[in-house]
Amino acid sequence: MLPFSTIKKCSVVNKNGTFIGVIKNCVIGLADREIHQVTLCTSGFLGMETKYFILPFSRLYFDDKIEKFVLTMSNAELEARSKIHHLGQLQYFSLN
């Protein structure tokens, strides 16, 4: 088990161990008390073009050895998902 505060600021890497971004928020189901979605924040060159992605939590697993979450989708799959560009306030929507 991990504290919510650890999940919220944890780094995310791809299967090769390359840094992708940081978890900024989680969506928790009230009935089942499970994490359903996370907001992943990625940054481009020099922090320009910051992007937010809402991803199913089921597409991540925590690697105890490196103490990071590993994303189980390819970079191409990630880019193909709906993006939320940072405009001051993050809006949530479901990708299901």
Side-chain angles (χ1 to χ4, degrees), residues 51-55 77-85 93-95:
K51 299 176 187 176
Y52 291 86
F53 298 88
I54 295 178
L55 305 173
E77 286 178 281
L78 179 62
E79 281 296 324
R81 297 196 63 96
S82 297
K83 290 177 247 188
I84 303 171
H85 294 279
F93 59 92
S94 176
L95 297 175

Side-chain angles (χ1 to χ4, degrees), residues 8-85:
K8 189 174 170 185
K9 59 186 176 186
C10 195
S11 294
V12 177
V13 297
N14 64 16
K15 294 176 189 176
N16 299 325
T18 304
F19 177 79
I20 296 174
V22 175
I23 295 174
K24 289 292 187 179
N25 219 334
C26 302
V27 177
I28 299 171
L30 295 177
D32 61 9
R33 300 179 186 161
E34 298 283 330
I35 297 174
H36 292 270
Q37 297 174 329
V38 296
T39 305
L40 175 68
C41 177
T42 64
S43 294
F45 180 68
L46 297 178
M48 297 171 72
E49 195 180 5
T50 297
K51 299 176 187 176
Y52 291 86
F53 298 88
I54 295 178
L55 305 173
F57 188 62
S58 61
R59 297 300 303 263
L60 298 166
Y61 69 89
F62 189 75
D63 187 324
D64 291 329
K65 294 176 188 171
I66 60 173
E67 297 185 348
K68 293 178 173 69
F69 279 97
V70 179
L71 184 62
T72 62
M73 65 175 62
S74 69
N75 289 348
E77 286 178 281
L78 179 62
E79 281 296 324
R81 297 196 63 96
S82 297
K83 290 177 247 188
I84 303 171
H85 294 279

